[in-house]
Amino acid sequence: METAAACCVHSSMANSQSLPGIMSAQKVVRVRGGGGGGGGEGAAERRVTFSGGASSSSSSIGFNRSEQWGSTSATTIAISSSKRGGRSLHTTVGPLKVVCKDYPRPDIDMTANFLEAAALSAFFRSAPRPTKPLNVVIAGAGLAGLCTAKYLADAGHKPILLEARDVLGGKIAAWKDKDGDWYETGLHIFFGAYPNMQNLFGELGINDRLQWKEHSMVFAMPNKPGEFSRFDFPDILPAPLNGVWAILKNNEMLTFTEKIQFAIGLLPAILGGQAYVEAQDGLTVREWMLKQGVPERVNDEVFIAMSKALNFIDPDDLSMQCVLIALNRFLQETHGSKMAFLDGAPPERLCKPVVEHFSALGGEVRLNARLQKIELNEDGTVKHYLLTDGSTVEGDIYVSAMPVDIVKLLVPEEWKPIPYFKKMDKLVGVPVINVHIWLDRKLKNTYDHLLFSRSPLLSVYADMSTTCKEYYDPDRSMLELVFAPADKWITRSDEDIIDATMGELAKLFPNEIAADQSKAKILKYHVVKTPRSVYKTVPNCEPCRPLQRSPINNFYMAGDFTKQKYLASMEGAVLSGKLCAKAIVQDCEELALRSKDAGKAAALVQ
């Protein structure tokens, strides 16, 4: 079993902020693991050694190339990892050595959901090549729009992707500040239970850009400041036994009796499958708990953190269907809850390869192309997209891959009475705030993992200077935190939000952070506000989610709010794009067949 974390230096000594030449070691963040991302059991370790005049890099079995970096000197840093994920740091006089370990990519390629997603991808590659490719105009270059374009291009059509802003990604967009540091729209985690996303990485040849973490879930302990509680999923057990083991072995958050009551409450979901899960859409998490006799402490210890992580709202508001969908994936797929971080900024490390892929097949993307109006023909179909600069974009087919709140603003008046569009009124985006704080020191009490804060103001967070190769810094921590629920804070000043965040961090890191910055000091921060993000998954929203094929002959929709089984998530966005592209390809084939049959009929008449 692999036991060490992704390429990082976890400085835990008193003088860690003044190691001679250590900043040169940041180049280690470019090291890629696993030779294409598959990674076997031996593909978990790489040593990069810096010496006075020359640098050398050696790889253990599983790496098929070596890389050389610039030189430095003075200090040796060796990182070792225990089975529980802790590390020890040793310093000696001599050349700087950074020992990096990545967990191998989990064995997910033969799971039922992965194969189903792979079959959907194969549908586009094997679809009959169109005699005349469709020009498909897509508004919105988030994951849904990007994937719609990618899979249409795979099927032989020409996507024209329009993005209102100057950056790709939508809800996974990121920007560089004046110092060259990235700050993101959100803290994005890639799960093993994301089969379409995992297929996408493989199809693009970028599996090695995912940094897989150890199979654990780590929760802060509010009643024990500075301490964490872990759920460790053993690799040797299949699902659901690995999840049961993880729960039973954790004795810090729930008592044995509470675990049993929780398990009994979940039995109908485990036995009833998807039908039972969908039937719970009418209940909030708290209502479901009362109905199933689940103890209140399960809400306090587990569901509050889980609800805020899933949809940025509290369990009093969240539909239980959302939680059960996640639990179903995690409990039924051995590697479903295993997490990975992207090794850099999403626009460059994920979105850009998608654009390069469909551009090579004849597609195109246009930035700063903001949609102002959907102009209609007399029969109610789309005539063209009118942009804010006064130009128009015409195509054979039109797709909206915009967030649901923007779609509702742009729906033409003639379409609004149609039930397909009218029912979307209930779908409303939830406000989200993403906070980035650069500190003047490397925090000692942290993990190379996603952490559930269990704070009333914060959802999840990570020390990105440790978890992400591109953001790696051995001297200073950069915390990325999701501030949720954010409805009461979205209009507050950045200063107010940072002050509140530091107050919460002082409880998580009492020995290292104080609200008044008398301990760790803020070097800089960025606050990214999204007033309307993913749709708020409150009860009875499921019937309001539209299919990708609309009742308008040449208009389709994609987006995580559209009908697909992964709700408001990155996986949901990717799947919605594939389903949208599939509907277009199927309709194109049907039209071609009709045209062919009509031609035959005409020939017979003659």
Side-chain angles (χ1 to χ4, degrees):
M1 173 179 170
E2 299 301 331
T3 58
C7 181
C8 66
V9 175
H10 183 84
S11 302
S12 61
M13 59 187 179
N15 63 345
S16 62
Q17 291 152 49
S18 58
L19 296 176
I22 197 167
M23 292 308 291
S24 298
Q26 289 189 53
K27 291 187 177 180
V28 178
V29 303
R30 303 290 182 191
V31 176
R32 300 283 178 257
E41 287 302 311
E45 182 172 339
R46 144 156 285 177
R47 285 180 171 81
V48 181
T49 304
F50 301 80
S51 58
S55 299
S56 65
S57 172
S58 63
S59 305
S60 65
I61 184 170
F63 289 88
N64 58 11
R65 67 189 186 280
S66 62
E67 300 166 7
Q68 295 189 348
W69 309 109
S71 62
T72 185
S73 61
T75 306
T76 297
I77 300 180
I79 308 300
S80 63
S81 297
S82 68
K83 197 168 185 178
R84 296 285 294 178
R87 302 183 189 87
S88 61
L89 180 63
H90 310 285
T91 61
T92 62
V93 176
L96 174 62
K97 294 181 180 179
V98 181
V99 178
C100 312
K101 285 191 175 183
D102 279 331
Y103 283 86
R105 184 172 178 270
D107 185 14
I108 56 177
D109 291 4
M110 297 306 294
T111 61
N113 284 326
F114 186 92
L115 292 173
E116 179 185 332
L120 182 53
S121 295
F123 164 82
F124 300 102
R125 297 190 296 271
S126 62
R129 299 299 93 175
T131 304
K132 182 182 180 297
L134 295 173
N135 289 320
V136 184
V137 185
I138 306 164
L143 280 173
L146 287 165
C147 289
T148 303
K150 190 263 187 197
Y151 291 104
L152 282 171
D154 285 348
H157 299 287
K158 182 184 177 182
I160 304 166
L161 184 59
L162 310 177
E163 170 53 42
R165 300 186 293 184
D166 61 355
V167 61
L168 299 168
K171 298 184 188 75
I172 64 167
W175 301 265
K176 265 188 178 179
D177 66 15
K178 60 183 178 61
D179 302 317
D181 293 318
W182 287 94
Y183 56 101
E184 305 182 11
T185 307
L187 180 53
H188 308 293
I189 300 299
F190 298 79
F191 286 96
Y194 280 3
N196 290 282
M197 179 69 83
Q198 298 302 333
N199 268 274
L200 177 64
F201 272 82
E203 292 159 24
L204 298 172
I206 58 172
N207 273 332
D208 61 342
R209 297 186 182 186
L210 286 178
Q211 291 180 250
W212 290 95
K213 306 304 178 183
E214 100 184 279
H215 198 172
S216 302
M217 289 188 175
V218 186
F219 290 77
M221 299 290 287
N223 57 330
K224 298 178 181 178
E227 295 187 21
F228 299 88
S229 181
R230 297 167 56 101
F231 291 89
D232 294 313
F233 296 73
D235 290 343
I236 59 173
L237 294 177
L241 297 179
N242 62 343
V244 173
W245 179 267
I247 293 170
L248 290 177
K249 288 290 288 183
N250 182 298
N251 296 314
E252 298 161 315
M253 292 175 62
L254 297 176
T255 67
F256 183 78
T257 300
E258 288 166 342
K259 293 174 188 176
I260 296 299
Q261 291 173 300
F262 186 19
I264 293 173
L266 285 175
L267 273 178
I270 297 172
L271 299 175
Q274 189 67 22
Y276 175 86
V277 170
E278 292 181 1
Q280 308 315 301
D281 179 48
L283 298 176
T284 66
V285 175
R286 187 175 289 277
E287 288 169 345
W288 178 88
M289 286 177 54
L290 291 171
K291 178 183 175 184
Q292 296 300 117
V294 176
E296 179 68 21
R297 261 179 39 85
V298 174
N299 183 67
D300 298 339
E301 298 294 315
V302 178
F303 279 150
I304 290 177
M306 194 171 183
S307 298
K308 294 202 295 182
L310 287 171
N311 198 238
F312 315 117
I313 59 178
D314 286 321
D316 290 348
D317 300 316
L318 184 66
S319 166
M320 189 60 193
Q321 182 194 31
C322 182
V323 172
L324 289 177
I325 284 176
L327 287 175
N328 243 9
R329 301 291 172 219
F330 293 166
L331 290 175
Q332 294 186 14
E333 299 180 29
T334 299
H335 304 291
S337 57
K338 193 174 179 69
M339 305 179 209
F341 284 71
L342 192 61
D343 67 357
E348 289 195 347
R349 304 301 290 167
L350 175 54
C351 302
K352 186 178 178 182
V354 178
V355 171
E356 290 172 344
H357 176 90
F358 69 70
S359 296
L361 296 174
E364 62 178 291
V365 62
R366 303 178 190 176
L367 300 179
N368 298 304
R370 186 178 296 274
L371 180 59
Q372 178 175 304
K373 188 178 181 182
I374 301 173
E375 298 274 11
L376 303 183
N377 294 307
E378 289 185 4
D379 63 358
T381 59
V382 180
K383 180 180 182 181
H384 55 241
Y385 279 171
L386 173 66
L387 305 185
T388 53
D389 63 3
S391 65
T392 61
V393 185
E394 296 184 2
D396 302 303
I397 297 292
Y398 297 85
V399 175
S400 167
M402 300 175 290
V404 66
D405 295 284
I406 296 177
V407 174
K408 290 190 294 183
L409 291 174
L410 290 171
V411 168
E413 289 296 324
E414 295 90 330
W415 292 358
K416 288 184 178 179
I418 300 174
Y420 176 89
F421 297 102
K422 188 173 181 58
K423 67 183 181 180
M424 288 194 302
D425 288 346
K426 185 169 181 177
L427 302 179
V428 178
V430 62
V432 178
I433 300 172
N434 207 46
V435 178
H436 307 71
I437 299 176
W438 283 260
L439 298 173
D440 67 346
R441 66 196 67 191
K442 190 77 171 180
L443 296 176
K444 303 170 188 175
N445 189 23
T446 189
Y447 277 84
D448 180 18
H449 215 302
L450 180 76
L451 300 171
F452 293 83
S453 75
R454 301 174 73 209
S455 150
L457 295 181
L458 305 176
S459 171
V460 292
Y461 73 96
D463 186 343
M464 299 297 282
S465 69
T466 296
T467 60
C468 176
K469 292 176 182 177
E470 185 167 356
Y471 305 161
Y472 167 76
D473 190 330
D475 289 338
R476 299 175 181 87
S477 287
M478 189 278 270
L479 298 180
E480 185 170 346
L481 313 101
V482 179
F483 197 104
D487 53 338
K488 296 178 181 177
W489 289 85
I490 197 73
T491 59
R492 300 279 289 271
S493 69
D494 290 357
E495 292 75 14
D496 285 348
I497 292 167
I498 291 297
D499 287 345
T501 300
M502 287 298 286
E504 294 302 307
L505 288 175
K507 300 172 186 175
L508 295 172
F509 302 93
N511 296 325
E512 301 179 87
I513 294 178
D516 62 0
Q517 297 188 52
S518 57
K519 297 175 182 177
K521 292 177 173 53
I522 296 177
L523 297 177
K524 67 177 180 180
Y525 62 81
H526 288 292
V527 175
V528 181
K529 298 178 179 177
T530 306
R532 296 289 178 91
S533 182
V534 296
Y535 77 94
K536 192 173 183 180
T537 314
V538 295
N540 299 312
C541 272
E542 192 63 23
C544 303
R545 300 172 67 199
L547 295 170
Q548 288 75 31
R549 182 187 281 110
S550 87
I552 309 301
N553 286 338
N554 64 345
F555 183 76
Y556 298 76
M557 287 206 292
D560 58 16
F561 68 92
T562 61
K563 186 70 173 177
Q564 40 73 27
K565 61 184 178 181
Y566 288 93
L567 299 181
S569 64
M570 291 190 295
E571 171 69 10
V574 172
L575 179 54
S576 77
K578 294 175 80 171
L579 294 175
C580 180
K582 182 180 181 181
I584 293 170
V585 171
Q586 287 176 329
D587 291 352
C588 175
E589 290 179 356
E590 184 179 339
L591 289 171
L593 287 172
R594 287 179 182 174
S595 176
K596 188 175 181 180
D597 291 341
K600 288 180 179 179
L604 289 173
V605 170
Q606 293 174 354

PDB file of all heavy atoms in Angstrom, residues 88-111:
ATOM      1  N   SER A  88       8.234  12.991   8.573  1.00  0.00           N
ATOM      2  CA  SER A  88       9.307  13.488   9.409  1.00  0.00           C
ATOM      3  C   SER A  88      10.272  14.248   8.534  1.00  0.00           C
ATOM      4  O   SER A  88      10.448  13.938   7.356  1.00  0.00           O
ATOM      5  CB  SER A  88      10.037  12.325  10.103  1.00  0.00           C
ATOM      6  OG  SER A  88      10.606  11.467   9.146  1.00  0.00           O
ATOM      7  N   LEU A  89      10.905  15.274   9.073  1.00  0.00           N
ATOM      8  CA  LEU A  89      11.793  16.128   8.304  1.00  0.00           C
ATOM      9  C   LEU A  89      13.165  16.110   8.940  1.00  0.00           C
ATOM     10  O   LEU A  89      13.315  16.331  10.127  1.00  0.00           O
ATOM     11  CB  LEU A  89      11.225  17.561   8.305  1.00  0.00           C
ATOM     12  CG  LEU A  89      12.013  18.610   7.540  1.00  0.00           C
ATOM     13  CD1 LEU A  89      12.049  18.242   6.062  1.00  0.00           C
ATOM     14  CD2 LEU A  89      11.346  19.959   7.706  1.00  0.00           C
ATOM     15  N   HIS A  90      14.188  15.809   8.149  1.00  0.00           N
ATOM     16  CA  HIS A  90      15.544  15.736   8.668  1.00  0.00           C
ATOM     17  C   HIS A  90      16.414  16.704   7.894  1.00  0.00           C
ATOM     18  O   HIS A  90      16.292  16.819   6.675  1.00  0.00           O
ATOM     19  CB  HIS A  90      16.095  14.316   8.512  1.00  0.00           C
ATOM     20  CG  HIS A  90      15.175  13.259   9.035  1.00  0.00           C
ATOM     21  ND1 HIS A  90      14.995  13.014  10.365  1.00  0.00           N
ATOM     22  CD2 HIS A  90      14.350  12.400   8.370  1.00  0.00           C
ATOM     23  CE1 HIS A  90      14.115  12.030  10.522  1.00  0.00           C
ATOM     24  NE2 HIS A  90      13.703  11.653   9.315  1.00  0.00           N
ATOM     25  N   THR A  91      17.281  17.412   8.553  1.00  0.00           N
ATOM     26  CA  THR A  91      18.183  18.324   7.867  1.00  0.00           C
ATOM     27  C   THR A  91      19.621  17.949   8.163  1.00  0.00           C
ATOM     28  O   THR A  91      19.967  17.587   9.280  1.00  0.00           O
ATOM     29  CB  THR A  91      17.956  19.783   8.332  1.00  0.00           C
ATOM     30  OG1 THR A  91      18.230  19.851   9.732  1.00  0.00           O
ATOM     31  CG2 THR A  91      16.535  20.201   8.073  1.00  0.00           C
ATOM     32  N   THR A  92      20.447  18.013   7.142  1.00  0.00           N
ATOM     33  CA  THR A  92      21.877  17.785   7.293  1.00  0.00           C
ATOM     34  C   THR A  92      22.602  18.757   6.403  1.00  0.00           C
ATOM     35  O   THR A  92      22.015  19.361   5.495  1.00  0.00           O
ATOM     36  CB  THR A  92      22.259  16.351   6.887  1.00  0.00           C
ATOM     37  OG1 THR A  92      21.935  16.170   5.505  1.00  0.00           O
ATOM     38  CG2 THR A  92      21.539  15.315   7.721  1.00  0.00           C
ATOM     39  N   VAL A  93      23.879  18.920   6.634  1.00  0.00           N
ATOM     40  CA  VAL A  93      24.676  19.780   5.770  1.00  0.00           C
ATOM     41  C   VAL A  93      24.948  19.029   4.477  1.00  0.00           C
ATOM     42  O   VAL A  93      25.295  17.851   4.485  1.00  0.00           O
ATOM     43  CB  VAL A  93      26.000  20.150   6.467  1.00  0.00           C
ATOM     44  CG1 VAL A  93      26.864  20.970   5.525  1.00  0.00           C
ATOM     45  CG2 VAL A  93      25.712  20.916   7.737  1.00  0.00           C
ATOM     46  N   GLY A  94      24.787  19.697   3.347  1.00  0.00           N
ATOM     47  CA  GLY A  94      25.021  19.041   2.081  1.00  0.00           C
ATOM     48  C   GLY A  94      24.049  19.534   1.032  1.00  0.00           C
ATOM     49  O   GLY A  94      23.368  20.529   1.229  1.00  0.00           O
ATOM     50  N   PRO A  95      23.964  18.864  -0.098  1.00  0.00           N
ATOM     51  CA  PRO A  95      23.069  19.311  -1.166  1.00  0.00           C
ATOM     52  C   PRO A  95      21.610  19.140  -0.774  1.00  0.00           C
ATOM     53  O   PRO A  95      21.263  18.284   0.025  1.00  0.00           O
ATOM     54  CB  PRO A  95      23.433  18.398  -2.334  1.00  0.00           C
ATOM     55  CG  PRO A  95      23.969  17.164  -1.683  1.00  0.00           C
ATOM     56  CD  PRO A  95      24.691  17.648  -0.461  1.00  0.00           C
ATOM     57  N   LEU A  96      20.751  19.977  -1.363  1.00  0.00           N
ATOM     58  CA  LEU A  96      19.313  19.907  -1.095  1.00  0.00           C
ATOM     59  C   LEU A  96      18.718  18.696  -1.789  1.00  0.00           C
ATOM     60  O   LEU A  96      18.903  18.479  -2.968  1.00  0.00           O
ATOM     61  CB  LEU A  96      18.630  21.177  -1.615  1.00  0.00           C
ATOM     62  CG  LEU A  96      17.106  21.216  -1.542  1.00  0.00           C
ATOM     63  CD1 LEU A  96      16.637  21.137  -0.113  1.00  0.00           C
ATOM     64  CD2 LEU A  96      16.582  22.472  -2.204  1.00  0.00           C
ATOM     65  N   LYS A  97      17.983  17.872  -1.054  1.00  0.00           N
ATOM     66  CA  LYS A  97      17.289  16.721  -1.623  1.00  0.00           C
ATOM     67  C   LYS A  97      15.802  16.818  -1.291  1.00  0.00           C
ATOM     68  O   LYS A  97      15.447  17.062  -0.151  1.00  0.00           O
ATOM     69  CB  LYS A  97      17.842  15.411  -1.047  1.00  0.00           C
ATOM     70  CG  LYS A  97      19.281  15.119  -1.436  1.00  0.00           C
ATOM     71  CD  LYS A  97      19.723  13.791  -0.847  1.00  0.00           C
ATOM     72  CE  LYS A  97      21.160  13.479  -1.224  1.00  0.00           C
ATOM     73  NZ  LYS A  97      21.607  12.193  -0.640  1.00  0.00           N
ATOM     74  N   VAL A  98      14.981  16.670  -2.267  1.00  0.00           N
ATOM     75  CA  VAL A  98      13.547  16.675  -2.052  1.00  0.00           C
ATOM     76  C   VAL A  98      13.013  15.319  -2.480  1.00  0.00           C
ATOM     77  O   VAL A  98      13.170  14.913  -3.619  1.00  0.00           O
ATOM     78  CB  VAL A  98      12.849  17.785  -2.864  1.00  0.00           C
ATOM     79  CG1 VAL A  98      11.353  17.777  -2.585  1.00  0.00           C
ATOM     80  CG2 VAL A  98      13.454  19.139  -2.533  1.00  0.00           C
ATOM     81  N   VAL A  99      12.441  14.581  -1.562  1.00  0.00           N
ATOM     82  CA  VAL A  99      11.867  13.276  -1.871  1.00  0.00           C
ATOM     83  C   VAL A  99      10.372  13.456  -2.087  1.00  0.00           C
ATOM     84  O   VAL A  99       9.678  13.949  -1.205  1.00  0.00           O
ATOM     85  CB  VAL A  99      12.128  12.259  -0.742  1.00  0.00           C
ATOM     86  CG1 VAL A  99      11.480  10.927  -1.078  1.00  0.00           C
ATOM     87  CG2 VAL A  99      13.626  12.090  -0.539  1.00  0.00           C
ATOM     88  N   CYS A 100       9.879  13.076  -3.265  1.00  0.00           N
ATOM     89  CA  CYS A 100       8.483  13.299  -3.614  1.00  0.00           C
ATOM     90  C   CYS A 100       7.787  11.971  -3.827  1.00  0.00           C
ATOM     91  O   CYS A 100       8.335  11.082  -4.458  1.00  0.00           O
ATOM     92  CB  CYS A 100       8.387  14.113  -4.905  1.00  0.00           C
ATOM     93  SG  CYS A 100       9.453  15.556  -4.920  1.00  0.00           S
ATOM     94  N   LYS A 101       6.607  11.851  -3.328  1.00  0.00           N
ATOM     95  CA  LYS A 101       5.809  10.650  -3.562  1.00  0.00           C
ATOM     96  C   LYS A 101       4.398  11.034  -3.971  1.00  0.00           C
ATOM     97  O   LYS A 101       3.796  11.905  -3.384  1.00  0.00           O
ATOM     98  CB  LYS A 101       5.765   9.776  -2.308  1.00  0.00           C
ATOM     99  CG  LYS A 101       7.048   8.998  -2.036  1.00  0.00           C
ATOM    100  CD  LYS A 101       6.809   7.974  -0.948  1.00  0.00           C
ATOM    101  CE  LYS A 101       8.029   7.101  -0.736  1.00  0.00           C
ATOM    102  NZ  LYS A 101       7.773   6.050   0.265  1.00  0.00           N
ATOM    103  N   ASP A 102       3.897  10.356  -4.981  1.00  0.00           N
ATOM    104  CA  ASP A 102       2.504  10.490  -5.385  1.00  0.00           C
ATOM    105  C   ASP A 102       1.828   9.140  -5.212  1.00  0.00           C
ATOM    106  O   ASP A 102       2.440   8.102  -5.436  1.00  0.00           O
ATOM    107  CB  ASP A 102       2.394  10.887  -6.855  1.00  0.00           C
ATOM    108  CG  ASP A 102       2.604  12.373  -7.072  1.00  0.00           C
ATOM    109  OD1 ASP A 102       2.301  13.146  -6.160  1.00  0.00           O
ATOM    110  OD2 ASP A 102       3.083  12.749  -8.161  1.00  0.00           O
ATOM    111  N   TYR A 103       0.547   9.174  -4.840  1.00  0.00           N
ATOM    112  CA  TYR A 103      -0.215   7.933  -4.845  1.00  0.00           C
ATOM    113  C   TYR A 103      -0.509   7.559  -6.284  1.00  0.00           C
ATOM    114  O   TYR A 103      -0.758   8.430  -7.121  1.00  0.00           O
ATOM    115  CB  TYR A 103      -1.521   8.106  -4.067  1.00  0.00           C
ATOM    116  CG  TYR A 103      -1.311   8.078  -2.583  1.00  0.00           C
ATOM    117  CD1 TYR A 103      -0.970   9.227  -1.891  1.00  0.00           C
ATOM    118  CD2 TYR A 103      -1.425   6.895  -1.879  1.00  0.00           C
ATOM    119  CE1 TYR A 103      -0.749   9.197  -0.532  1.00  0.00           C
ATOM    120  CE2 TYR A 103      -1.207   6.855  -0.522  1.00  0.00           C
ATOM    121  CZ  TYR A 103      -0.869   8.006   0.151  1.00  0.00           C
ATOM    122  OH  TYR A 103      -0.635   7.970   1.495  1.00  0.00           O
ATOM    123  N   PRO A 104      -0.472   6.289  -6.606  1.00  0.00           N
ATOM    124  CA  PRO A 104      -0.790   5.887  -7.974  1.00  0.00           C
ATOM    125  C   PRO A 104      -2.258   6.109  -8.283  1.00  0.00           C
ATOM    126  O   PRO A 104      -3.094   6.152  -7.384  1.00  0.00           O
ATOM    127  CB  PRO A 104      -0.439   4.390  -7.999  1.00  0.00           C
ATOM    128  CG  PRO A 104      -0.572   3.950  -6.577  1.00  0.00           C
ATOM    129  CD  PRO A 104      -0.139   5.120  -5.750  1.00  0.00           C
ATOM    130  N   ARG A 105      -2.549   6.246  -9.553  1.00  0.00           N
ATOM    131  CA  ARG A 105      -3.935   6.379  -9.987  1.00  0.00           C
ATOM    132  C   ARG A 105      -4.691   5.116  -9.576  1.00  0.00           C
ATOM    133  O   ARG A 105      -4.238   4.006  -9.813  1.00  0.00           O
ATOM    134  CB  ARG A 105      -3.980   6.550 -11.497  1.00  0.00           C
ATOM    135  CG  ARG A 105      -5.371   6.786 -12.080  1.00  0.00           C
ATOM    136  CD  ARG A 105      -5.244   7.126 -13.560  1.00  0.00           C
ATOM    137  NE  ARG A 105      -6.547   7.323 -14.159  1.00  0.00           N
ATOM    138  CZ  ARG A 105      -7.275   6.364 -14.727  1.00  0.00           C
ATOM    139  NH1 ARG A 105      -6.807   5.119 -14.754  1.00  0.00           N
ATOM    140  NH2 ARG A 105      -8.452   6.629 -15.265  1.00  0.00           N
ATOM    141  N   PRO A 106      -5.862   5.266  -8.950  1.00  0.00           N
ATOM    142  CA  PRO A 106      -6.596   4.076  -8.505  1.00  0.00           C
ATOM    143  C   PRO A 106      -7.071   3.233  -9.686  1.00  0.00           C
ATOM    144  O   PRO A 106      -7.231   3.731 -10.811  1.00  0.00           O
ATOM    145  CB  PRO A 106      -7.776   4.659  -7.717  1.00  0.00           C
ATOM    146  CG  PRO A 106      -7.944   6.043  -8.230  1.00  0.00           C
ATOM    147  CD  PRO A 106      -6.568   6.516  -8.597  1.00  0.00           C
ATOM    148  N   ASP A 107      -7.317   1.993  -9.415  1.00  0.00           N
ATOM    149  CA  ASP A 107      -7.725   1.039 -10.438  1.00  0.00           C
ATOM    150  C   ASP A 107      -9.231   1.177 -10.681  1.00  0.00           C
ATOM    151  O   ASP A 107     -10.043   0.427 -10.137  1.00  0.00           O
ATOM    152  CB  ASP A 107      -7.370  -0.382  -9.982  1.00  0.00           C
ATOM    153  CG  ASP A 107      -7.661  -1.413 -11.056  1.00  0.00           C
ATOM    154  OD1 ASP A 107      -7.868  -1.011 -12.215  1.00  0.00           O
ATOM    155  OD2 ASP A 107      -7.690  -2.616 -10.727  1.00  0.00           O
ATOM    156  N   ILE A 108      -9.594   2.145 -11.504  1.00  0.00           N
ATOM    157  CA  ILE A 108     -11.008   2.438 -11.738  1.00  0.00           C
ATOM    158  C   ILE A 108     -11.452   2.112 -13.165  1.00  0.00           C
ATOM    159  O   ILE A 108     -12.637   2.175 -13.474  1.00  0.00           O
ATOM    160  CB  ILE A 108     -11.329   3.921 -11.449  1.00  0.00           C
ATOM    161  CG1 ILE A 108     -10.432   4.834 -12.281  1.00  0.00           C
ATOM    162  CG2 ILE A 108     -11.162   4.222  -9.963  1.00  0.00           C
ATOM    163  CD1 ILE A 108     -10.720   6.309 -12.110  1.00  0.00           C
ATOM    164  N   ASP A 109     -10.512   1.759 -14.032  1.00  0.00           N
ATOM    165  CA  ASP A 109     -10.824   1.644 -15.452  1.00  0.00           C
ATOM    166  C   ASP A 109     -11.780   0.503 -15.798  1.00  0.00           C
ATOM    167  O   ASP A 109     -12.374   0.505 -16.881  1.00  0.00           O
ATOM    168  CB  ASP A 109      -9.543   1.470 -16.268  1.00  0.00           C
ATOM    169  CG  ASP A 109      -8.694   2.735 -16.265  1.00  0.00           C
ATOM    170  OD1 ASP A 109      -9.079   3.697 -15.567  1.00  0.00           O
ATOM    171  OD2 ASP A 109      -7.659   2.764 -16.944  1.00  0.00           O
ATOM    172  N   MET A 110     -11.906  -0.486 -14.915  1.00  0.00           N
ATOM    173  CA  MET A 110     -12.788  -1.616 -15.205  1.00  0.00           C
ATOM    174  C   MET A 110     -14.071  -1.585 -14.381  1.00  0.00           C
ATOM    175  O   MET A 110     -14.829  -2.552 -14.370  1.00  0.00           O
ATOM    176  CB  MET A 110     -12.045  -2.940 -14.966  1.00  0.00           C
ATOM    177  CG  MET A 110     -10.846  -3.152 -15.892  1.00  0.00           C
ATOM    178  SD  MET A 110     -11.302  -2.992 -17.661  1.00  0.00           S
ATOM    179  CE  MET A 110     -12.387  -4.409 -17.847  1.00  0.00           C
ATOM    180  N   THR A 111     -14.325  -0.482 -13.680  1.00  0.00           N
ATOM    181  CA  THR A 111     -15.566  -0.375 -12.922  1.00  0.00           C
ATOM    182  C   THR A 111     -16.729  -0.142 -13.885  1.00  0.00           C
ATOM    183  O   THR A 111     -16.561   0.378 -14.997  1.00  0.00           O
ATOM    184  CB  THR A 111     -15.507   0.779 -11.913  1.00  0.00           C
ATOM    185  OG1 THR A 111     -15.304   2.010 -12.623  1.00  0.00           O
ATOM    186  CG2 THR A 111     -14.357   0.578 -10.927  1.00  0.00           C
TER     187      THR A 111
END
